[in-house]
Amino acid sequence: MATPPQLTPEERSAALAKASIARKRRAFIKSQIKDGQISIKEIFNLAKEDEAIAKMRVAEMLESVTGVGKIRALAIMEKLAISPTRRVKGLGKNQIESLLLEFHSVKENFATRGKLIVLSGPGGVGKSTVATELRKTGDYWVSISATTRAPRVNEVEGVDYYFISDQEFESRITADEFLEWAIFAGAKYGTPRDGVEKALLAGHNLLLEIEIEGAQQVKRHMPEAILVFLEPPSWEDLVSRLEGRGTDSPERRTERLALAQKELASASLFDLVIVNSSVEQVVAQLVSLASA
Ligand code: 5GP
């Protein structure tokens, strides 16, 4: 390997200053891509004369496009046989053409994609009732989660949940089949990734009714998701709802109350907080969110 050139202190500080300018330039361009002010096609044109842009990683560029994100960017690159470390200036003519083609369809798909709403909040606040009512409006599809907990009386496989073993859940995690997953009160819960992608691509608004940690994971993977926190009208109201549940053992109820207290403190992490004073009102707000 060739020995790196020996730099004088002046040359080194000049090189550092140049690198810092290039980084700022790339950050600016990425924010422009995100805001839709510059297209991928324009980036390729700029890269012919702008060294900072030419040295931008293709993955960084793709991730900046609204609706793409890290996982999707890598999937697109893998599909087009572009190495994950490739820089813009290292792309061949055919790769540029395929990327432009791919992005034309991403953009079109994005415009017609459904909205993804994540409904979360403390256990017992009434999320599942809201989800059931929302499904009836026909404005939303509701994602069906997988869980390792046992079905409750009246719960139906494939309607309320996919009830699976711990072993199957683990193998699905390994196969990266969940958009998010979390452990809640000793059981695992996860959102099947495939169903979400398909529903949104088909233009359906989709509701995920999940706990808080999972909601944060969704936002990290899909920043376009709108996180809604459902709050009880009061703490007393939540306690009486949880205590009125005939399905949980006393130990489980105590556990859930302690957890609910912690969960209530997470409201600030959400895009929107809705107080569940009336299910009809919550449903109406969520429907108007879908058409906003
Ligand atoms: P339950 O056992 O009462 O049906 O649900 C317990 C908690 O798990 C609720 O807060 C519910 O919203 C949440 N949950 C249901 N499905 C999922 C899921 O797929 N992912 C995550 N993270 N939480 C879920």
Side-chain angles (χ1 to χ4, degrees):
M1 199 172 92
T3 31
Q6 293 294 313
L7 299 181
T8 65
E10 293 74 27
E11 283 169 335
R12 190 173 302 122
S13 70
L16 285 174
K18 194 176 162 202
S20 157
I21 291 170
R23 269 198 306 277
K24 281 190 189 138
R25 172 93 179 121
R26 282 195 286 274
F28 172 70
I29 292 292
K30 282 192 282 181
S31 73
Q32 289 218 312
I33 300 175
K34 201 173 218 103
D35 293 345
Q37 291 182 31
I38 192 164
S39 69
I40 298 289
K41 193 171 178 182
E42 285 165 317
I43 296 285
F44 289 129
N45 282 335
L46 281 174
K48 288 179 196 153
E49 287 157 15
D50 189 324
E51 183 66 8
I53 297 177
K55 283 189 176 165
M56 182 188 284
R57 283 187 198 277
V58 177
E60 269 184 285
M61 171 180 78
L62 301 189
E63 281 164 25
S64 310
V65 178
T66 304
V68 176
K70 264 192 183 12
I71 295 177
R72 195 117 182 258
L74 280 177
I76 292 172
M77 291 172 72
E78 198 181 324
K79 179 175 158 192
L80 305 179
I82 298 171
S83 138
T85 54
R86 177 75 71 235
R87 291 176 192 271
V88 171
K89 70 173 176 185
L91 287 171
K93 193 168 167 279
N94 289 345
Q95 286 175 319
I96 291 181
E97 271 170 17
S98 337
L99 262 178
L100 289 176
L101 217 78
E102 187 72 23
F103 269 84
H104 184 66
S105 62
V106 165
K107 240 175 137 180
E108 289 204 329
N109 284 340
F110 197 70
T112 57
R113 268 164 83 89
K115 286 216 173 77
L116 179 60
I117 309 280
V118 181
L119 183 67
S120 207
V125 74
K127 285 169 290 177
S128 52
T129 312
V130 168
T132 307
E133 291 306 310
L134 199 62
R135 192 188 260 149
K136 289 184 194 159
T137 64
D139 288 298
Y140 278 93
W141 279 22
V142 179
S143 162
I144 300 166
S145 301
T147 182
T148 59
R149 83 151 163 74
R152 297 189 183 119
V153 188
N154 295 336
E155 281 185 332
V156 178
E157 163 72 20
V159 175
D160 298 287
Y161 282 104
Y162 297 108
F163 297 98
I164 63 175
S165 67
D166 205 63
Q167 200 184 12
E168 186 170 351
F169 202 100
E170 285 299 322
S171 75
R172 291 206 195 169
I173 295 174
T174 311
D176 200 22
E177 286 182 19
F178 291 123
L179 171 63
E180 62 73 39
W181 70 273
I183 297 179
F184 184 91
K188 294 186 181 112
Y189 295 83
T191 304
R193 184 191 296 284
D194 197 37
V196 172
E197 242 339 284
K198 280 190 183 141
L200 294 178
L201 272 178
H204 299 290
N205 299 315
L206 188 69
L207 183 93
L208 308 187
E209 186 258 280
I210 64 178
E211 55 69 65
I212 288 148
E213 161 58 28
Q216 300 302 310
Q217 290 177 41
V218 174
K219 190 76 177 179
R220 283 196 288 276
H221 295 309
M222 304 177 82
E224 74 273 22
I226 303 172
L227 302 197
V228 178
F229 190 87
L230 196 60
E231 242 179 17
S234 66
W235 171 247
E236 291 70 28
D237 183 90
L238 188 66
V239 173
S240 75
R241 281 179 199 227
L242 279 172
E243 295 195 332
R245 266 190 183 182
T247 48
D248 289 339
S249 67
E251 297 75 36
R252 182 86 163 179
R253 268 206 296 279
T254 313
E255 229 175 76
R256 285 195 176 226
L257 269 177
L259 193 64
Q261 220 162 8
K262 264 178 42 195
E263 289 174 317
L264 275 172
S266 311
S268 61
L269 303 172
F270 284 71
D271 298 314
L272 191 68
V273 176
I274 300 182
V275 177
N276 188 11
S277 322
S278 117
V279 174
E280 294 73 33
Q281 273 176 25
V282 176
V283 169
Q285 284 189 61
L286 292 174
V287 168
S288 71
L289 205 61
S291 53

